[in-house]
Amino acid sequence: MKVLRARLVLLVALVAAGGLGAPASALAQVEEPRAETCPGSLPSGTRCWSGRAESGAWYWYARPADWNGRLILHAHGGPRTGDPERGEPEEDLDRFSMMVAEGYAWAGSTYRRGGYGVRMAAEDTDQLRRIVWARWGRPERTLLHGQSWGGNVAAKAAELYAVATDGTHNYDGVLLTSGVLAGGTHAYGFRADLRAVYQFYCANHPRPEEVQYPLWQGLPAGASMSRADLSARLQACTGVGLPEAERTPEQHARLRNIRSVTGLEEAHLLGHLAWATTLFQDMVWKRLDGHNPFSNTGRTYRGSDDDVALNQGVERFEADPAALAALAYDSDLTGQIVLPTVTLHARYDPTVFVEHEAAYATAVAEAGRSDRLAQVFTTENQHSRLSAPQYAAVLAALEEWLSTGKRPDAAEVARICETLALRYREPCFIDPAFRPESALP
């Protein structure tokens, strides 16, 4: 028990002082903003700038000619595991150009480094708020927007930085789209299961002649694997990427079993395997001191053509309690929201399952804050970008909530969306009656 307690203290200290963040001594100097050419998707007359924060994070800021006096502070998804580059936020700005079209100024950060670290990214997001306020003036309202993993980041930033030390609010409202809202301790278990099930059927990640390692590591420390290499291994085992007629009976059987047990679509297997490789490696070796936050002990896998053989032969692993506690400290959400918060999520999101919304709603309810949460769902099967008028509609609903104090419901958001669909030339898919049945395990 004393050893476990010591390891827990060490890992939480790593999270707080740099294991999931970055030491202050490593931070780069400020670079003043410079004018940039805005993405073509932005309204005519919009001005864009890029710069570098004290933390080393690159950022972009855009302001339309008909600015409405509001700022959207964007937290991007991922985590992106490469080194940050100046131009990265331009892609996010282009993807959410409808927000600028609605009159909002927009700011987004790369974060100071690639890789996992929710508190680190939340700190860098709030640092960008301070930069924008100091350089371009404090707006009438500041809205915090998080997309995908950035939903976890934005929700954590709202918990940590919504209220200033003098009791005033740094933010006015929160919008979370396709968000990883179950926290790190629940968000990635299915990918650990995928690695175990995949290896049982394919035995090529790693191959028998390669260095063997526990699958929860993603890859050994210092090792690398390209997406093309991973794709070739997946194809060799299952035929994914080949025409149906060119797949062997053995490949068909292995693919059928993997899909049936994990519930994942063929088109998304490579993406999830990639996260369970490079992201797991980053989390384990760079953020958790080589310790394991994943567990499949006691898990019964079902749906294969021989469940007994699968459950007897699959690799088993048990989470290190200290690593799990460190991951929870960094990324799990308390539900203690203080600002009006709206979420938007596709029912059939193939990347961040809609059950994340149920987990978040439960956490918020247990904290007694359900009156500050409104959730909206669509019938889409997309993740990175939903239909444009839906984002404009949830923003309009959030603004009305901030102005009147009346929490919107999904039916109201759907009505707003229909009024915007013609202008955006994209349809609305909002399903007012839907609620996810259960949270992630």
Side-chain angles (χ1 to χ4, degrees), residues 99-114:
M99 297 180 174
V100 182
E102 290 298 312
Y104 290 88
W106 184 99
S109 167
T110 63
Y111 317 137
R112 68 191 69 172
R113 59 159 175 77

Side-chain angles (χ1 to χ4, degrees), residues 402-417:
L402 295 174
S403 296
T404 66
K406 182 178 181 297
R407 183 177 61 155
D409 60 25
E412 180 181 349
V413 177
R415 288 192 294 271
I416 297 172
C417 188

Side-chain angles (χ1 to χ4, degrees), residues 127-206:
Q127 181 184 55
L128 179 55
R129 172 192 61 79
R130 299 194 301 273
I131 290 171
V132 172
W133 284 15
R135 175 64 174 77
W136 288 281
R138 180 168 182 168
E140 296 174 9
R141 282 178 180 165
T142 299
L143 305 181
L144 188 55
H145 171 226
Q147 161 66 20
S148 189
W149 180 67
N152 195 173
V153 172
K156 179 62 73 175
E159 289 186 357
L160 297 174
Y161 305 111
V163 181
T165 54
D166 63 1
T168 61
H169 285 181
N170 291 323
Y171 301 95
D172 297 281
V174 181
L175 173 61
L176 308 172
T177 58
S178 307
V180 179
L181 301 179
T185 61
H186 297 286
Y188 304 103
F190 78 97
R191 288 177 178 148
D193 290 329
L194 172 61
R195 280 298 303 268
V197 172
Y198 177 87
Q199 187 66 2
F200 174 81
Y201 288 109
C202 297
N204 69 0
H205 187 23

Side-chain angles (χ1 to χ4, degrees), residues 406-428:
K406 182 178 181 297
R407 183 177 61 155
D409 60 25
E412 180 181 349
V413 177
R415 288 192 294 271
I416 297 172
C417 188
E418 292 298 336
T419 68
L420 297 167
L422 185 61
R423 170 152 61 93
Y424 281 98
R425 298 181 181 180
E426 294 183 32
C428 299

Side-chain angles (χ1 to χ4, degrees), residues 124-299:
D124 289 348
T125 299
D126 191 63
Q127 181 184 55
L128 179 55
R129 172 192 61 79
R130 299 194 301 273
I131 290 171
V132 172
W133 284 15
R135 175 64 174 77
W136 288 281
R138 180 168 182 168
E140 296 174 9
R141 282 178 180 165
T142 299
L143 305 181
L144 188 55
H145 171 226
Q147 161 66 20
S148 189
W149 180 67
N152 195 173
V153 172
K156 179 62 73 175
E159 289 186 357
L160 297 174
Y161 305 111
V163 181
T165 54
D166 63 1
T168 61
H169 285 181
N170 291 323
Y171 301 95
D172 297 281
V174 181
L175 173 61
L176 308 172
T177 58
S178 307
V180 179
L181 301 179
T185 61
H186 297 286
Y188 304 103
F190 78 97
R191 288 177 178 148
D193 290 329
L194 172 61
R195 280 298 303 268
V197 172
Y198 177 87
Q199 187 66 2
F200 174 81
Y201 288 109
C202 297
N204 69 0
H205 187 23
R207 299 186 179 103
E209 68 274 15
E210 294 177 323
V211 173
Q212 301 299 295
Y213 57 90
L215 298 177
W216 52 263
Q217 291 180 356
L219 285 172
S224 63
M225 179 177 290
S226 69
R227 193 177 181 93
D229 185 358
L230 182 59
S231 177
R233 294 173 191 237
L234 176 62
Q235 184 177 101
C237 175
T238 65
V240 168
L242 295 174
E244 289 274 346
E246 296 182 16
R247 300 176 185 179
T248 67
E250 292 78 14
Q251 288 174 326
H252 277 289
R254 289 191 288 262
L255 178 59
R256 182 178 62 251
N257 279 318
I258 292 169
R259 287 194 54 210
S260 180
V261 174
T262 65
L264 297 174
E265 297 293 330
E266 176 181 329
H268 306 296
L269 283 174
L270 178 59
H272 288 299
L273 275 174
W275 287 120
T277 301
T278 54
L279 179 61
F280 279 19
Q281 182 190 39
D282 176 88
M283 293 174 72
V284 167
W285 293 111
K286 294 184 179 180
R287 320 304 164 197
L288 294 171
D289 199 33
H291 299 293
N292 174 27
F294 307 114
S295 177
N296 70 345
T297 301
R299 178 99 71 240

